């Protein structure tokens, strides 16, 4: 299978063409102009991850919500599952910067932490 | 009248970094005046990550980036007045401000730093026919609704303009359960960062329609849909390409305008391209002792560069305050000009007797491949470097060495592109 993608490792944005076999293993990367591009293509095809940011409802805070993020990038395919958990969570004020608001979200082993005070 | 060495107008990333640097350089009495209820500026609602990669070497969210500066400020005796609106700058650098507790304040400043940021180009600037139905708003307004107020402003969304805020909101609204139908971009290329195109649109299967615009909005009370059309090379809608798209919300991400009302009232010279003040290498404006930095000076893509620019302004203000340095005479000024392919430069002026290397920031007019950035003084080439790709969405810079500035033969530097 052939996959096309834009490398986002730097602003040049090379068009990458990635050749994969049936086991989703990378056979070749073309179009990259540096080593980072090749690694980006391999990561994107084998284990794409993303930082997820959102808000969590707060009871009794100055504002109705507090911004949060995943402590580390999570698998791209789990973003919407994680959003469901985040949107069904309500925490009590006060919330401090860096507080863990949800532990081990969706079995990823990664926590959801507050990125502001409230 | 209150007296301060330095009054900083705006408590966003620019104002905070400028005030902190001025303090480090030895300025004693500093006050920051902020219109909103908290410090942090627009970063407070930019909850996505990607801030701080250059400055801190980590990927922070907007509030986290702001928090680091807010915490630094707390360690100093820099005063902060929030909920305070500056309404005028009088002669002799007197700042007029107002708030609920003090009434009207007059502050005598030795130096002033303008750090008011920018605002989004609104619907009224677009000549878009249709009724004033609810549901048409700037992407930043929607961002505030969702991220600060915890309120979703719509379910079926069309976004006009592929600026970064629009792209970020495409992802944010999708994650919150809305259906983002498409992003329409008037130009044949996106104005946003490639990373945002990939991670906010491609990841979620949201189409980006280039050379396409909204020609009409439909609905009386609430937006019911928009008519989109392709545009020709002169950005005029092509008859026959119209298409109706049902939606209840239209987000506009069609450019940012530096918020320079105060700057104009103060009689400061404005660059017609950046819509910000004309400044020298320390970001001093045409009025002695008044400096400008951050998005009020030029719209940046990255807050990291706002911080760096504001530190330069903070340093400049400190030099002015501590040495009572008079404005440079015109004979000593080297003008920096933008030519062929370069839209603008900041700073526009450099003092020949400057004491440091100067980075000239600029944006290009179009997407260019395998082009050289060249800086010349008359026939002499001061700087030349090949670039694989240049795009209007990414701010570029060239560094000019102190030695080179001192020995320039003419009074004009030109920054241009050469194939």
């Amino acid at each position: 299978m052939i996959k096309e993608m834009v490398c986002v490792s730097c602003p040049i944005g090379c068009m990458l063409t990635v050749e994969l076999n049936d086991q989703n293993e990378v056979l070749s990367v073309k179009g990259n102009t540096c080593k980072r591009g090749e690694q980006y293509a391999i990561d994107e095809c084998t284990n794409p991850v993303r930082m997820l940011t959102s808000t969590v409802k707060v009871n009794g805070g100055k504002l109705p919500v507090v911004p949060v993020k995943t402590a580390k990038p999570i698998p791209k395919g789990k973003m919407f599952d994680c959003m469901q958990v985040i949107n069904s969570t309500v925490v009590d004020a006060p919330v401090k910067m860096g507080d863990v608001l949800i532990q081990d979200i969706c079995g990823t082993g990664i926590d959801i932490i507050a990125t502001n005070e409230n | 009248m209150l007296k301060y060495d330095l009054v900083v107008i705006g408590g966003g990333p620019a104002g905070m970094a400028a005030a902190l640097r001025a303090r480090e350089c030895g300025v004693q009495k500093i006050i920051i005046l902020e219109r909103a209820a908290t410090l942090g500026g627009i970063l407070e609602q930019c909850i996505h990550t990607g801030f701080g990669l250059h400055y801190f070497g980590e990927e922070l969210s907007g509030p986290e980036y702001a928090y680091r500066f807010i915490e630094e400020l707390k360690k100093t005796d820099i005063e902060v007045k929030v909920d305070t609106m500056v309404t005028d700058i009088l002669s002799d650098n007197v700042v007029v401000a107002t708030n609920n507790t003090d009434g009207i304040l007059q502050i005598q400043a030795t130096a002033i730093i303008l750090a008011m940021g920018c605002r989004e180009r609104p619907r009224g600037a677009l000549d878009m026919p249709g009724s004033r139905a609810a549901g048409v708003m700037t992407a930043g307004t929607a961002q505030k609704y969702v991220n600060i107020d915890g309120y979703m402003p719509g379910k079926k969304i069309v976004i006009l303009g592929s600026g970064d805020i629009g792209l970020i909101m495409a992802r944010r609204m999708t994650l919150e359960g809305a259906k983002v139908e498409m992003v329409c971009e008037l130009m044949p290329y996106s104005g946003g960062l490639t990373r945002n195109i990939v991670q906010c649109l491609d990841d979620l299967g949201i189409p980006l329609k280039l050379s396409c615009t909204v020609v009409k909005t439909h609905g009386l009370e609430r937006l019911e849909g928009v008519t989109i059309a392709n545009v020709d090379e002169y950005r005029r809608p092509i008859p026959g390409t119209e298409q109706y798209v049902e939606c209840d919300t239209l987000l506009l991400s069609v450019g940012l305008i530096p918020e320079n009302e105060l700057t104009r009232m103060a009689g400061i010279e404005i660059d017609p391209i950046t819509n910000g003040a004309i400044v020298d290498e320390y970001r001093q404006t045409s009025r002695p002792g008044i400096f400008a930095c951050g998005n009020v000076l030029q719209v940046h893509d990255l807050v990291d560069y706002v911080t760096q620019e504001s530190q330069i302004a903070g340093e400049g203000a400190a030099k002015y305050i501590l040495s009572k340095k008079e404005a440079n005479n015109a004979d000593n000024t080297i003008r920096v000009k933008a030519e062929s392919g370069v839209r603008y430069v900041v700073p526009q002026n450099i003092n020949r007797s400057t004491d440091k290397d100067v980075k000239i920031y600029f944006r290009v007019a179009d997407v260019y491949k395998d082009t050289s950035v060249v800086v010349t003084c008359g026939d002499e080439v001061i700087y030349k470097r090949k670039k694989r790709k240049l795009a209007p969405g990414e701010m570029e810079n060239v560094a000019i060495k102190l030695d080179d500035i001192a020995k320039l033969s003419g009074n004009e530097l030109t920054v241009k592109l050469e194939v």
Side-chain angles (χ1 to χ4, degrees):
Chain A
M1 189 179 58
I2 300 287
K3 251 191 183 176
E4 294 213 318
M5 63 182 73
V6 185
C7 179
V8 298
S9 303
C10 86
I12 293 173
C14 296
M15 276 300 294
L16 306 179
T17 309
V18 190
E19 196 187 340
L20 299 156
N21 66 13
D22 294 341
Q23 284 75 48
N24 220 32
E25 288 164 349
V26 177
L27 299 176
S28 73
V29 180
K30 287 195 188 104
N32 59 305
T33 50
C34 77
K35 208 76 191 137
R36 284 196 297 166
E38 188 181 335
Q39 193 58 46
Y40 174 82
I42 293 168
D43 291 345
E44 276 295 288
C45 291
T46 53
N47 180 32
V49 293
R50 295 286 185 269
M51 287 295 291
L52 178 64
T53 60
S54 186
T55 50
V56 164
K57 290 196 187 75
V58 179
N59 261 333
K62 278 178 280 184
L63 294 167
V65 293
V66 69
V68 296
K69 70 175 183 185
T70 49
K72 277 190 260 175
I74 56 163
K76 186 175 137 186
K78 291 215 167 178
M79 286 205 294
F80 283 92
D81 293 343
C82 291
M83 278 304 293
Q84 277 198 343
V85 177
I86 289 169
N87 277 344
S88 58
T89 302
V90 183
V91 298
D92 291 322
V95 178
K96 288 201 294 294
M97 179 66 86
D99 279 0
V100 174
L101 301 186
I102 302 166
Q103 281 184 331
D104 182 17
I105 191 160
C106 296
T108 55
I110 293 165
D111 297 336
I112 297 293
I113 60 171
T115 57
N116 209 348
E117 300 173 325
N118 191 345
Chain B
M1 191 170 356
L2 296 170
K3 277 204 166 101
Y4 283 87
D5 294 327
L6 176 61
V7 174
V8 178
I9 305 174
M16 291 195 290
L20 282 166
R21 177 51 64 88
R23 156 60 90 241
E24 279 166 31
C25 294
V27 178
Q28 290 300 314
K29 242 179 139 283
I30 304 176
I31 188 167
I32 299 176
L33 304 175
E34 166 56 44
R35 181 171 63 183
T38 55
L39 290 172
I42 206 65
L43 287 174
E44 295 294 302
Q45 69 182 57
C46 298
I47 65 165
H48 53 282
T49 57
F51 302 91
L53 277 168
H54 295 268
Y55 189 72
F56 289 114
E58 338 172 24
E59 198 171 338
L60 304 170
S61 73
E64 289 176 305
Y65 190 95
Y67 185 79
R68 296 202 173 186
F69 290 86
I70 295 170
E71 288 300 296
E72 280 306 304
L73 275 174
K74 282 186 189 159
K75 292 183 204 154
T76 71
D77 60 357
I78 295 172
E79 291 172 55
V80 177
K81 272 189 193 291
V82 294
D83 287 319
T84 301
M85 173 88 180
V86 174
T87 55
D88 206 353
I89 298 169
L90 308 177
S91 56
D92 295 334
N93 295 352
V94 172
V95 175
V96 184
T98 179
N99 66 30
N100 277 350
T101 43
D102 300 303
I104 295 174
L105 289 162
Q106 289 213 353
I107 307 172
Q108 173 66 63
T110 307
I112 298 168
I113 293 180
L114 307 173
M116 293 88 77
C118 61
R119 59 170 171 252
E120 294 172 282
R121 175 165 289 138
R123 180 196 178 159
L126 295 184
D127 296 334
M128 185 193 293
S131 65
R132 297 276 145 177
V136 182
M137 68 193 82
T138 64
T141 301
Q143 189 178 44
K144 182 167 187 292
Y145 280 142
V146 180
N147 294 346
I148 305 283
D149 302 331
Y151 172 82
M152 274 291 281
K155 296 193 178 92
K156 240 180 162 193
I157 325 282
V158 169
I159 300 178
L160 175 60
S162 60
D164 287 310
I165 314 169
L167 300 176
I168 293 289
M169 283 314 291
R171 174 175 63 186
R172 183 78 184 107
M173 303 286 276
T174 306
L175 286 172
E176 288 292 349
K179 174 88 173 77
V180 177
E181 298 290 340
M182 61 181 68
V183 175
C184 300
E185 169 59 54
L186 182 69
M187 304 301 286
Y189 51 82
S190 164
L193 301 171
T194 313
R195 178 177 67 185
N196 286 336
I197 306 270
V198 171
Q199 298 193 350
C200 299
L201 300 187
D202 298 354
D203 266 10
L204 301 164
I206 301 168
L208 171 61
K209 292 186 181 288
L210 297 172
S211 297
C212 175
T213 192
V214 172
V215 292
K216 191 170 171 134
T217 64
H218 303 268
L220 203 57
E221 296 285 315
R222 177 79 199 192
L223 189 70
E224 288 164 10
V226 296
T227 301
I228 62 167
N230 297 335
V231 298
D232 63 20
E233 57 188 308
Y234 304 107
R235 298 182 223 163
R236 292 175 309 204
I238 302 170
T241 64
E242 295 90 353
Q243 190 189 331
Y244 180 77
V245 183
E246 192 186 305
C247 62
D248 57 28
T249 305
L250 174 66
L251 300 188
L252 305 174
S253 179
V254 291
L256 299 166
I257 307 165
E259 203 161 329
N260 270 306
E261 281 74 13
L262 283 173
T263 320
R264 288 199 175 84
M265 284 160 82
I268 289 166
E269 263 184 87
I270 302 274
D271 182 319
I273 307 289
T274 60
N275 282 315
I278 292 175
V279 292
D280 70 11
E281 77 277 17
Y282 276 110
R283 306 303 184 262
Q284 182 167 230
T285 68
S286 60
R287 250 184 79 173
I290 303 187
F291 296 76
C293 56
N295 283 348
V296 79
L297 179 62
Q298 57 171 334
V299 175
H300 294 68
D301 333 304
L302 300 177
V303 69
D304 307 62
Y305 293 154
V306 168
T307 300
Q308 285 166 2
E309 180 172 87
S310 307
Q311 291 173 334
I312 294 170
E315 222 174 292
K319 272 180 196 290
Y320 178 87
I321 292 162
L322 300 174
S323 69
K324 273 284 178 188
K325 191 182 71 148
E326 280 308 308
N328 284 277
N329 58 35
D331 302 344
N332 208 15
T333 299
I334 298 159
R335 308 238 174 252
V336 191
K337 296 225 152 143
E339 245 178 45
S340 53
V342 177
R343 273 194 73 221
Y344 73 77
V345 290
V346 170
Q348 295 87 344
N349 296 323
I350 298 172
N351 295 311
R352 188 182 293 276
S353 53
T354 191
D355 52 2
K356 58 165 194 174
D357 297 350
V358 175
K359 265 190 185 169
I360 301 171
Y361 292 83
F362 65 94
R363 277 185 201 276
V364 295
D366 204 341
V367 177
Y368 300 95
K369 288 201 169 140
D370 296 317
T371 312
S372 291
V373 176
V374 186
V375 182
T376 57
C377 177
D379 297 332
E380 198 186 345
V381 176
I382 311 295
Y383 175 103
K384 182 168 184 172
R385 186 162 296 170
K386 212 164 171 71
K387 285 277 187 178
R388 294 242 353 256
K389 188 181 171 191
L390 293 162
E394 319 251 359
M395 187 189 286
E396 300 286 336
N397 69 70
V398 295
I400 308 293
K401 292 252 175 298
L402 175 60
D403 296 347
D404 290 335
I405 296 168
K407 61 181 187 221
L408 283 178
S409 51
N411 288 328
E412 205 169 279
L413 272 184
T414 307
V415 184
K416 59 189 169 190
L417 303 184
E418 267 178 23
V419 182

